């Protein structure tokens, strides 16, 4: 049987007295009234002896369920006249927020469930609307985000990812030490980044380095706000660039050839993109054939392979010597795409060499790509951009079950 102490211990209602219990349509209703000596003025906080009852109201709130059976609290409230401040107001309610129709305890339960099950399932299980569950969880994430400390941030990675095929991009900033996504913004231009960097600067956060690709937009944004912070162009993007250069070189050569030679080079795409250490005896044989058919392409392949060892060098000095020699050799190949790449690397020499000072990359951000894709597939992300972003901010704690 429900009692005042059940309300207190099971439902978390501290200042209320149990009046009666009612069973209706499979749900349990607890009728409660605020204890007389716990009455306060909603305006000035005056005690019960300053208040006179001036009318009544009734409100129903959703409480924690018992198993799958709903429990509801029916509050028999009073309008109170306060002799101290002269106001006539409804009694304060401290077990629910504002105009909400559920107990705070119920909301905490929703949040707990949302960390282990998809929103859809939580809503179904609790017998409430999907929107309600989402709004409660969203509010929880937003509060958590507000409490997040930025003070310790030192290393950032910034990159873009597409949220719709081809066109719509988002800029993401990752704290490389905690793995937290710190900033998400639509677009991939400098404006997607500058306000966030300004916020960090304003809070006097001591950023040491930022890992990024060679996109001029991000470079410009960092340079504008933090002129002296090191920029690190990470291995990930450079390897992608050199792979693209060899692929395009191969395609150019195929276009100019005919007959058997054409077939040899045409079929070499995956061979050329693979690492030397992954080639089996048959592939090595084909590489030799390639060397006979087209010497420059073969040399380009070796140069591509060579570049990967750059990031394993022990210090910046050796790195600089290696990079300069690599750029020189790439230009000497006489292949358009490699000359172009060599120019690009030369222009970003400083950012490439900063790697040896900090040894950071956007790798951890690339590692989040799959999790972001899962989130992307869930269409609600785009119907509710704010919620999509909030989920991204906490993607590091998301488990597969969490998605939904
Ligand atoms: Zn008052």
């Amino acid at each position: 049987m429900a009692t005042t102490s059940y309300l207190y211990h099971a439902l978390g209602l501290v200042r209320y007295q149990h009046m009666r219990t009612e069973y209706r349509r499979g749900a349990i209703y607890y009728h409660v009234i605020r204890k007389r000596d716990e009455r306060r003025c909603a305006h000035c906080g005056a005690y019960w002896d300053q208040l006179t009852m001036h009318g009544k109201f009734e409100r129903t709130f959703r409480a924690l369920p018992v198993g799958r059976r709903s429990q509801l609290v029916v509050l028999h409230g009073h309008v109170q006249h306060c002799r101290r401040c002269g106001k006539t107001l409804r009694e304060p309610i401290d077990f629910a927020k504002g105009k909400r129709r559920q107990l705070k305890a119920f909301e905490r339960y929703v949040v707990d469930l949302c960390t282990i099950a998809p929103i859809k399932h939580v809503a179904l299980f609790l017998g409430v609307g999907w929107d309600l569950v989402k709004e409660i969880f969203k509010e929880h994430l937003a509060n958590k985000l507000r409490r997040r400390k930025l003070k310790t941030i030192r290393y950032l990675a910034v990159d873009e990812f597409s949220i719709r095929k081809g066109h719509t991009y988002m800029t993401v900033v990752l704290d490389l030490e905690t793995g937290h996504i710190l900033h998400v913004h639509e677009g991939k231009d400098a404006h997607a980044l500058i306000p966030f960097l300004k916020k960090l600067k304003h809070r006097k956060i001591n950023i040491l380095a930022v890992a990024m690709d060679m996109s001029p937009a991000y470079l410009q944004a960092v340079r504008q706000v933090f002129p002296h912070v090191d920029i690190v162009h990470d291995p990930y993007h450079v390897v992608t660039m050199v792979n693209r250069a060899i692929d395009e070189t191969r395609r150019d050569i195929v276009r100019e050839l005919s007959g058997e030679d054409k077939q040899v080079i045409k079929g070499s795409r995956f061979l050329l993109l693979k690492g030397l250490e992954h080639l089996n005896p048959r592939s090595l044989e084909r590489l030799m054939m390639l060397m006979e058919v087209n010497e420059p392409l073969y040399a380009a392949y070796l140069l591509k392979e060579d570049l990967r060892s750059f990031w394993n060098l022990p210090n910046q000095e050796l790195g600089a010597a290696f990079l300069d020699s690599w750029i020189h050799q790439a230009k000497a190949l006489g292949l358009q795409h490699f000359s172009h790449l060599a120019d690009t690397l030369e222009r970003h020499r400083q950012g490439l060499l900063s790697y040896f000072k900090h040894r950071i990359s956007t790798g951890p951000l690339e590692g989040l790509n799959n999790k972001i894709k899962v989130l992307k597939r869930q269409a609600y992300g785009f119907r509710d951009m704010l919620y999509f972003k909030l989920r991204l901010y906490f993607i590091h704690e998301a488990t597969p079950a969490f998605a939904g």
Side-chain angles (χ1 to χ4, degrees):
M1 204 198 82
T3 61
T4 296
S5 90
Y6 176 80
L7 295 178
Y8 174 79
H9 294 290
L11 303 182
L13 297 187
V14 184
R15 298 181 183 90
Y16 295 83
Q17 204 169 331
H18 175 246
M19 296 162 74
R20 65 176 190 277
T21 306
E22 188 189 347
Y23 303 92
R24 218 186 327 139
R25 291 193 305 264
I28 312 170
Y29 291 78
Y30 301 102
H31 292 258
V32 307
I33 186 164
R34 195 165 174 124
K35 289 177 184 166
R36 183 169 168 267
D37 54 0
E38 293 284 1
R39 294 198 166 276
R40 300 285 181 270
C41 167
H43 180 71
C44 73
Y47 280 43
W48 62 277
D49 53 358
Q50 301 289 315
L51 306 169
T52 25
M53 300 307 114
H54 234 260
K56 288 179 177 177
F57 69 92
E58 200 178 289
R59 279 181 66 188
T60 304
F61 300 85
R62 190 173 283 278
L64 295 176
V66 176
R68 303 208 53 186
R69 190 178 291 268
S70 299
Q71 297 195 99
L72 296 106
V73 168
V74 183
L75 170 69
H76 294 256
H78 284 87
V79 179
Q80 311 173 131
H81 174 74
C82 174
R83 284 192 293 277
R84 193 166 89 178
C85 69
K87 299 231 186 255
T88 304
L89 296 165
R90 285 185 168 200
E91 65 184 48
I93 299 169
D94 35 39
F95 54 75
K97 285 183 206 159
K99 296 198 164 146
R100 303 219 181 146
R101 287 154 57 182
Q102 62 272 344
L103 304 192
K104 286 178 191 167
F106 179 84
E107 296 190 357
R108 284 194 294 273
Y109 187 50
V110 166
V111 167
D112 284 346
L113 289 176
C114 282
T115 61
I116 55 165
I119 283 180
K120 210 165 60 187
H121 296 182
V122 174
L124 213 61
F125 176 72
L126 294 174
V128 296
W130 180 88
D131 279 5
L132 176 66
V133 173
K134 193 183 75 171
E135 286 311 312
I136 290 171
F137 191 44
K138 200 167 142 182
E139 183 188 61
H140 163 77
L141 293 178
N143 286 335
K144 207 167 147 180
L145 187 64
R146 259 193 295 280
R147 289 195 301 269
R148 191 181 265 180
K149 300 264 186 296
L150 298 176
K151 239 182 277 165
T152 55
I153 300 170
R154 300 188 305 163
Y155 291 106
L156 299 177
V158 51
D159 206 356
E160 77 211 23
F161 69 90
S162 76
I163 53 166
R164 265 184 262 261
K165 261 197 188 107
H167 306 293
T168 320
Y169 287 92
M170 289 194 106
T171 294
V172 195
V173 180
L174 187 76
D175 179 335
L176 282 167
E177 289 175 301
T178 60
H180 294 170
I181 287 183
L182 299 172
H183 174 70
V184 183
H185 201 278
E186 292 91 334
K188 55 171 182 172
D189 55 12
H191 300 292
L193 194 56
I194 287 173
F196 172 70
L197 295 176
K198 280 188 173 162
K199 183 169 109 184
L200 296 184
K201 188 173 189 170
H202 181 72
R203 296 199 190 174
K204 299 190 166 49
I205 288 155
N206 193 19
I207 304 293
L208 297 180
V210 185
M212 63 168 79
D213 64 7
M214 296 177 182
S215 110
Y218 295 151
L219 255 167
Q220 183 208 326
V222 175
R223 276 288 153 265
Q224 185 182 324
V225 184
F226 292 109
H228 304 297
V229 162
D230 286 331
I231 285 168
V232 178
H233 296 306
D234 68 293
Y236 178 86
H237 287 96
V238 181
V239 166
T240 307
M241 284 164 79
V242 73
N243 277 334
R244 202 183 309 133
I246 194 132
D247 204 32
E248 281 169 359
T249 304
R250 181 194 59 85
R251 242 180 289 166
D252 284 356
I253 294 171
V254 167
R255 229 173 279 137
E256 285 161 21
L257 287 175
S258 60
E260 208 177 300
D261 288 357
K262 186 178 179 130
Q263 288 315 310
V264 170
I265 293 180
K266 211 172 171 181
S268 66
R269 174 154 199 258
F270 293 101
L271 184 71
L272 289 171
L273 294 177
K274 257 190 182 172
L276 200 51
E277 73 279 12
H278 298 303
L279 298 187
N280 57 28
R282 206 182 115 60
S283 302
L284 281 172
E285 218 173 276
R286 291 178 56 200
L287 192 64
M288 291 303 119
M289 268 168 74
L290 194 74
M291 179 180 72
E292 280 164 31
V293 174
N294 194 301
E295 182 91 47
L297 186 59
Y298 176 72
Y301 172 79
L302 293 184
L303 210 52
K304 178 210 85 163
E305 281 303 291
D306 204 22
L307 186 60
R308 291 163 55 201
S309 55
F310 172 66
W311 294 280
N312 294 324
L313 293 171
N315 59 50
Q316 188 159 340
E317 229 177 352
L318 290 172
F322 179 101
L323 186 63
D324 293 340
S325 147
W326 195 95
I327 289 170
H328 180 76
Q329 291 176 68
K331 284 181 176 172
L333 281 177
L335 298 170
Q336 182 203 335
H337 300 291
F338 273 78
S339 306
H340 182 72
L341 176 62
D343 287 341
T344 306
L345 297 189
E346 201 166 30
R347 270 203 312 281
H348 296 88
R349 188 173 181 274
Q350 199 191 346
L352 288 162
L353 294 177
S354 312
Y355 178 79
F356 297 100
K357 192 168 159 197
H358 304 287
R359 299 210 182 248
I360 56 167
S361 82
T362 63
L365 202 45
E366 309 303 331
L368 285 179
N369 255 334
N370 272 337
K371 280 188 174 179
I372 294 176
K373 267 183 204 151
V374 170
L375 211 55
K376 260 164 43 173
R377 273 199 291 273
Q378 297 155 354
Y380 64 77
F382 307 111
R383 284 203 302 264
D384 185 346
M385 192 48 97
L386 179 61
Y387 181 56
F388 179 58
K389 285 184 182 177
L390 283 168
R391 289 290 307 268
L392 282 173
Y393 286 122
F394 294 97
I395 205 165
H396 57 280
E397 38 188 68
T399 60
F402 187 53

